Amino acid sequence: MPTHTLPNPQAFPKDFVFGAATSAYQIEGAVHADGRGLSMWDSFAHHSGRIADGSTGDVACDHYHRMESDVALIQSLGHTAYRFSVAWPRVLPTGRGAVNTRGLDFYDRLVDQLLARGITPYATLYHWDLPLTLHEQGGWLHRDTCRAFADFAEVVARRLGDRVHSYATLNEPRCSATVGYLEGRHAPGLQDRGMALQAAHHLLLAHGLAVPALRAHTRSAQVGVVLDVKPYYAADSGADTAHTVQMADGVFNRWFLDPLFKGHYPQDVWVAEQGHQPLVQDGDLATICQPLDALGLNYYTRGHVVHDATLPFPHARELPVAGASYTTMGWEVFAEGLRQMLVRIHQEYAPQRLYVAENGAALDDSVVDGRVHDPLRVRYLQEHLQACAQALAQGVPLQAWLGWSLMDNYEWGKGYTQRFGLCHVDYATQTRTPKDSALWLRDFIAQHARAR
Ligand code: FCB
């Protein structure tokens, strides 16, 4: 008998959708097919020397060539929604200018396939694959990139229009800026605090410019953004640690939520970032703070930290939690943090709707006699869906839960060493095998459908 409470399918509203998410560079492969341009991730994967297993996304899950059977797989798992991203360099090979129709056709076919199988499309416009040409011109440090992004959003919306249920401008601007421009573990591999904050500002501005572009070419589609969120907890009771928790929360969560929903950067963090503050022009915050239809949250883990003055701001040292379970990413499994973030964001920022855009666990999975037994992931899903049910009971307008990920894929700087999929991928044969967790989820979704 499980020691945790199982989620009740009936706790989810009738129109609630369940599914999974992916992103273009992580699954598509086919990096030279049909006129696709290069992105900064192609270059980073090939040349930075910073990918754990030295791999690239050149082939990945070969989804570009297997899209139809992958959509059939999604349907067979009972999913009622699917979140994908549109590769900017497939559509605009140098980031702006002439549209590569063949690249756009791919997403057009994908959306049609999804709709034909009763699966609601969620599209993300920027999941980190900045066209290399734009990167070489300054990338997210360069203000012109914001306008180029809005133009790209317009091209996509003109073609896909209201067939997409929900558009997200950006995936995780926090991660793009911090991991790409401060920690240097992701493309473009820079390590500069001021650059990271400038990149973050330009990402937010790009979002703000893209929102009206999307609205101009859609009527019913929801328009929003996807943020990664992480609650911070103090691992000791010192005043220094309490301050570090506040600042870590400020840097990770409020630096993005406040401008998007309140039209200003958080004052405490702004002051603390003295010397690294971004250049913000008059009117930028009004552009960034647009009414949104939906906010997507990516949730994986919490931060359990103490103050450590030897570390850079916000001086947060992560400490392990005794007795907790961890994924192969080294992330603590902590479902209560999801409930807490959903409730907090609903109360403090009041987005019209929320959805869980990513949520999942990387584990050491293997296929044995055609099956993948992943009891830890089954439990992860149960606990996190239960957290969603609790948030719904507390009045959070949650509309969807999308797991990360549909299938094992290219996990950025970790290459192919991390298996996040609901389906196992054998990269030598491209065989997809639904794991036990995918089968459990399929039954859960079926119960939800029957109960309604
Ligand atoms: C998120 C990313 C996603 C995936 C998961 C594990 O930060 O959005 O692409 O890598 O982490």
Side-chain angles (χ1 to χ4, degrees):
M1 280 297 284
T3 51
H4 56 288
T5 310
L6 295 180
N8 177 356
Q10 296 188 48
F12 293 82
K14 183 176 171 14
D15 56 355
F16 197 93
V17 290
F18 300 91
T22 60
S23 89
Y25 188 66
Q26 293 178 276
I27 65 165
E28 285 178 2
V31 291
H32 301 296
D34 295 339
R36 176 187 182 273
L38 293 179
S39 83
M40 68 174 176
W41 260 99
D42 292 295
S43 160
F44 188 77
H46 275 272
H47 306 300
S48 70
R50 294 193 206 162
I51 310 299
D53 56 3
S55 63
T56 71
D58 285 5
V59 177
C61 306
D62 196 33
H63 169 73
Y64 191 77
H65 296 121
R66 294 162 195 268
M67 181 268 283
E68 294 200 6
S69 54
D70 283 338
V71 174
L73 174 69
I74 297 169
Q75 185 186 31
S76 75
L77 298 175
H79 294 188
T80 47
Y82 174 62
R83 173 176 175 238
F84 61 94
S85 81
V86 179
W88 187 348
R90 271 198 205 286
V91 175
L92 297 165
T94 59
R96 43 165 83 88
V99 173
N100 176 38
T101 313
R102 287 177 300 166
L104 199 46
D105 287 348
F106 172 75
Y107 300 102
D108 194 87
R109 290 197 308 274
L110 168 62
V111 167
D112 277 349
Q113 288 282 321
L114 291 168
L115 292 173
R117 291 176 184 272
I119 302 159
T120 301
Y122 281 62
T124 302
L125 295 174
Y126 184 69
H127 204 126
W128 308 354
D129 42 4
L130 184 70
L132 187 58
T133 309
L134 292 185
H135 167 63
E136 288 166 350
Q137 293 165 358
W140 290 115
L141 301 175
H142 194 36
R143 212 177 148 90
D144 286 359
T145 302
C146 308
R147 178 37 63 200
F149 177 69
D151 292 344
F152 162 57
E154 177 176 335
V155 169
V156 176
R158 270 182 192 275
R159 183 69 177 274
L160 303 183
D162 289 316
R163 288 179 294 150
V164 166
H165 172 73
S166 189
Y167 286 94
T169 52
L170 309 174
N171 177 70
E172 301 191 355
R174 189 230 43 108
C175 196
S176 298
T178 309
V179 186
Y181 290 81
L182 174 61
E183 299 174 8
R185 291 185 288 114
H186 284 179
L190 299 173
Q191 292 179 300
D192 182 286
R193 186 150 204 102
M195 284 185 184
L197 293 181
Q198 192 63 58
H201 182 67
H202 285 154
L203 282 155
L204 289 171
L205 186 62
H207 156 84
L209 292 172
V211 169
L214 290 168
R215 294 215 190 278
H217 299 283
T218 55
R219 284 163 189 268
S220 58
Q222 296 176 6
V223 175
V225 63
V226 171
L227 301 180
D228 52 333
V229 292
K230 181 172 173 181
Y232 280 87
Y233 291 73
D236 71 28
S237 54
D240 284 350
T241 290
H243 184 67
T244 281
V245 164
Q246 180 188 330
M247 288 298 138
D249 174 67
V251 168
F252 204 107
N253 301 310
R254 290 181 287 121
W255 193 262
F256 298 87
L257 285 161
D258 282 14
L260 286 165
F261 289 94
K262 296 181 174 172
H264 58 76
Y265 282 106
Q267 188 60 23
D268 54 350
V269 187
W270 181 268
V271 170
E273 294 282 16
Q274 180 67 35
H276 306 296
Q277 295 149 347
L279 211 62
V280 176
Q281 295 190 9
D282 281 354
D284 283 1
L285 282 153
T287 303
I288 291 168
C289 181
Q290 306 260 343
L292 299 178
D293 305 306
L295 171 65
L297 300 184
N298 293 350
Y299 178 82
Y300 289 94
T301 190
R302 69 162 160 174
H304 178 249
V305 300
V306 288
H307 175 82
D308 182 343
T310 66
L311 296 178
F313 179 78
H315 316 297
R317 176 176 296 284
E318 301 251 1
L319 290 189
V321 180
S325 61
Y326 286 83
T327 69
T328 53
M329 292 292 282
W331 295 347
E332 184 198 351
V333 178
F334 188 69
E336 163 60 11
L338 174 57
R339 184 202 63 79
Q340 198 206 334
M341 287 313 280
L342 286 168
V343 170
R344 170 182 167 195
I345 289 170
H346 168 56
Q347 288 175 351
E348 289 181 23
Y349 298 95
Q352 218 181 314
R353 297 179 191 81
L354 283 150
Y355 61 98
V356 174
E358 289 179 25
N359 181 216
L363 299 169
D364 268 328
D365 302 310
S366 50
V367 184
V368 179
D369 296 335
R371 295 287 302 266
V372 180
H373 298 303
D374 58 343
L376 294 178
R377 187 176 290 102
V378 172
R379 180 176 176 141
Y380 185 101
L381 299 188
Q382 291 170 341
E383 291 181 348
H384 287 78
L385 286 168
Q386 173 63 6
C388 291
Q390 290 170 337
L392 280 161
Q394 289 182 263
V396 175
L398 189 65
Q399 67 171 17
W401 178 91
L402 302 166
W404 186 268
S405 179
L406 171 65
M407 55 188 156
D408 296 338
N409 58 45
Y410 185 69
E411 180 45 36
W412 308 111
K414 305 265 186 193
Y416 296 101
T417 66
Q418 302 295 314
R419 294 191 175 272
F420 270 98
L422 292 166
C423 297
H424 179 278
V425 175
D426 176 338
Y427 294 108
T429 61
Q430 293 294 349
T431 306
R432 283 83 159 117
T433 306
K435 301 177 189 175
D436 286 356
S437 54
L439 305 179
W440 176 83
L441 183 63
R442 182 192 62 192
D443 293 347
F444 181 82
I445 299 169
Q447 284 171 35
H448 172 257
R450 274 200 301 275
R452 296 282 150 188

